[in-house]
Amino acid sequence: MIKKICRLFSILLPITVSVVCSRFDDTTGLGKPIINDIDSSLTDLSKNFMTTDCVLIDSAFSIPNSGDSIIGFHNDFLTVGNRDSVSASGYVEFPFDSTIWKRFNFPDNQEYTFTVDSIYFRFDIRLKDSILPSKINLYASTQADKYNRSSQAKQCQIATITIDSTDSNYYSGYAISSLADSVENFFVSFLQGSKSDTLSLCLFNNDSTNLVHLSKSPVIRVISRIESNTVKDTVKVTISSSHANYIAAEGNPESRSAKPISAFSSQRIAVFKVDLSQLKQITSTTDFSNVFAAGFTISPKSLSNMNFEDNRDTLYPAYLLSDCLLSTNDTALQDSSWISFKNGKIVSPITNTVSTDTINLQYPVSFFNRSSVELPSTVYLYIKLVTGRGQYWREVCWDIPKFKAILTTQE
Amino acid sequence: MNPMNKKYSFYPILMICLLAAVTGYSQSLLGLKYPFGIPYQSGTGLSLSMGGTGIAISNDLLGMAENPANLGAIKRTVFSLHSSLDLTNFKDGSKETNHITFNPHVLSFCFPIKKFGTIGLSVTQTNNTDAKFKLDSLFSTNGLSETAEIGLVREGSSIVWQAGWGYSINKYVLIGLAYQRMYFNPSISKIRRIKGDFSANNNDSTAIDFSTNGITGGIQVPVKNLTLGLSGQYFFENDANLYKSEDGSTIGYTMRPAPSLGFGASYQISPEWLCAADFETVLWDKCISIPDTSVPKYDVENAFGFSIGGQYIPAPNLLSPKYYEILRYRAGFRYNQLPVSTASEFGFSFGLGLPLRDGNGLFDVFFEYGQRHDSKFKDTKEEFFKIQIGINGGRKWYQSTDTNY
């Protein structure tokens, strides 16, 4: 009997206690007189925190991304076309190295002829817009055009691809015959010197104001014939691209610079000139000398090229505060000082030109908690849309941000 | 140990282990006013269930928890383990909060060394500083919605390791002496936090690192059925370090815990009845904490306390008793001043000692209800209810050759 009681007791008691434990409090907010006796600041929140929004926004504008030209560069994306006075041109590379050549199965130890009959291009569409460009022009290029399209990029057109008539999910077309001849000639030089090379192409849409986002892995198919005394084969080799990118160039940068625009395609950066003089005065003349949390709340004033499925879409803004106005060549605009929203910020369509979505741009307090001498009275807030997030052609014109800060006393 | 005893021992130990997994946070805000927090009653299940008496009780299962001289009465190898589940209700006016935690208190081993006496080893939790206070409020300003919190968290306890020796001088006097090593490592954190559209967290903490040596000694004089006991404890002054997280600085200062002295008496009325009473004082005016403006300063005064208790065994000498006839029925009461003159606590305890078969051990389960109050804070009161369990066991490994034929 005792054994049973002990066993039951020893199991039931801990289980009961662990269940009822959840009903107990971890902390208490009672006993203020006792706490007040120890430290009176612990019982009065107003002695610990003060809020302020004393900062003014002097001006708002935007700057191009980087370099001397007003372009945005996007790796692993392929967009071609024109929209809102921004034009995008694509660039792809196809490898022609020994691995690819082996796939042609050239016969050993005998003479043969190799003839390229045709070269076929296929570019799958990644994201469909309502109206697509009817055709895209392909130009033979070099690696000199990889990061910036030179004036030579449109010199040698080799193909025009159009939306496939049976399946509207991709563009396709055949290269001009001279390209096939070039590939044959290239083969000869390859056999002689085991040379590997890359076929570089630029993509432009010269005719319309429409845009298409293509898959970053287009393919070409080389249809060839190998003939020898013993072999007569038609060989088709499909080659996937090894690199793709696009750049977006603004056609009318001056008109856009007057507005605080963040654009994903051209990587335009919105800039706000911020006056911190009143904040500096508060922190230097009151007990609340320590900035505990601070930042900006901002709403979109207008949104372009969003994808409002289920009445919502996601923006990926990144922001940066700087003591001075940075030029587009400054490394600070390119480095990791930017603070990003990892999971993006969900926004809704703007109705009646008013956005109800507020995005909180909290900034590390170490920026504000510098000495009065170190912290300038004027700083600049930069906001851009982060690359590599499938943002396609999204663009935001921001409303004037509001500054918020919570100050505390020094310990 | 025979299989039956193994099973009986297994379940209590299992229960203690399972209870140890219980998470919770017991606390005392009043303890924030005392340098070492709230003092715990020393002792094993036997003494604690009798209100904390034990200075003048000679019993194997007491070890040296109340009086090192008790080691002189121990003639077999014994161990004691004691823990408690503490439920605290904190009242402030009409509002209250409830807290729970599991606290291990003492682990003790005693080994007789034939005619040279008995050695005892133990580790005991003697004080607890835990307290968690938090105040929060929602505020919104200019479109910013935030919850601001401020809080004070104090954690840590003092642990005393003891190694002692006791001896019986011709059964007329029992003496004992023990070396003690005390460790005290509390931390105090002031927390500021905001949560909401913006979030931030600031935790300024200070941690104290202190250890020191001490000695405790005692004497028991049995006179027929009456036993008188005297026990005292003294710690030596030593350096302490206070670490501040906000600037990484360390401040050195000196501390000495308060010495204590106790006097007790027990009377074996009959084989069935035992009663005891203790009176003790903690000399807080001898506690040293040389202040620096950065070091917490406590205003403390000498504290006195007394306790009385009794034990009843229905049929201790029956050859074939029923189980309930050999249970130990215990009850007690204690009153203790806390380190400030305006504060005190009292407690009622009652419980059972459940013998393990063959008399090799005892399982203690008992309860204590009490209150803690400081007249300086009239509207606040702390009520506590402790479920305490202990397991004690022993075995005689050799036959004493004291008897001369």
Side-chain angles (χ1 to χ4, degrees), chain A residues 190-201:
Chain A
F190 173 78
L191 279 183
Q192 288 175 344
S194 293
K195 181 180 167 185
S196 74
D197 211 328
T198 303
L199 176 63
S200 301
L201 302 176

Side-chain angles (χ1 to χ4, degrees), chain A residues 25 37 362 404 409 411, chain B residues 33 92 98 142 192 199 204:
Chain A
D25 305 292
D37 209 38
Q362 185 172 359
K404 317 282 178 190
T409 54
E411 279 295 304
Chain B
K33 302 283 294 171
D92 187 357
N98 296 298
N142 298 307
R192 292 178 186 175
S199 58
D204 288 329

Side-chain angles (χ1 to χ4, degrees), chain A residues 132-312:
Chain A
L132 297 171
S134 57
K135 61 180 180 181
I136 296 172
N137 299 318
L138 274 61
Y139 296 85
S141 182
T142 65
Q143 293 205 315
D145 292 321
K146 188 170 183 177
Y147 300 111
N148 199 353
R149 312 296 181 250
S150 67
S151 56
Q152 308 298 316
K154 280 188 176 181
Q155 286 292 311
C156 182
Q157 183 171 351
I158 58 163
T160 297
I161 54 176
T162 56
I163 297 176
D164 190 84
S165 56
T166 55
D167 184 348
S168 60
N169 290 317
Y170 64 89
Y171 284 79
S172 63
Y174 287 90
I176 56 178
S177 59
S178 60
L179 179 63
D181 295 339
S182 296
V183 171
E184 282 181 28
N185 294 335
F186 179 72
F187 161 70
V188 172
S189 64
F190 173 78
L191 279 183
Q192 288 175 344
S194 293
K195 181 180 167 185
S196 74
D197 211 328
T198 303
L199 176 63
S200 301
L201 302 176
C202 284
L203 290 78
F204 289 91
N205 169 24
N206 301 316
D207 303 328
S208 71
T209 57
N210 300 315
L211 202 68
V212 63
H213 305 288
L214 300 169
S215 164
K216 67 175 181 177
S217 301
V219 297
I220 63 174
R221 177 176 284 194
V222 178
I223 299 136
S224 62
R225 281 175 291 125
I226 298 173
E227 293 179 347
S228 68
N229 291 339
T230 55
V231 170
K232 220 176 202 180
D233 266 342
T234 298
V235 180
K236 298 178 185 177
V237 174
T238 302
I239 305 164
S240 297
S241 74
S242 54
H243 175 82
N245 70 53
Y246 81 90
I247 61 173
E250 292 183 346
N252 193 7
E254 292 78 18
S255 66
R256 290 161 68 79
S257 293
K259 298 177 188 175
I261 293 172
S262 301
F264 176 75
S265 56
S266 61
Q267 285 293 288
R268 177 165 281 274
I269 302 172
V271 186
F272 298 93
K273 186 178 176 186
V274 181
D275 180 359
L276 291 181
S277 54
Q278 286 190 42
L279 176 69
K280 286 178 64 171
Q281 190 189 16
I282 292 174
T283 55
S284 60
T285 58
T286 69
D287 288 338
F288 293 92
S289 57
N290 187 49
V291 177
F292 195 59
F296 300 85
T297 60
I298 195 167
S299 299
K301 191 172 185 180
S302 67
L303 295 162
S304 303
N305 302 298
M306 303 293 288
N307 185 15
F308 282 118
E309 287 182 16
D310 300 326
N311 216 30
R312 47 187 255 171

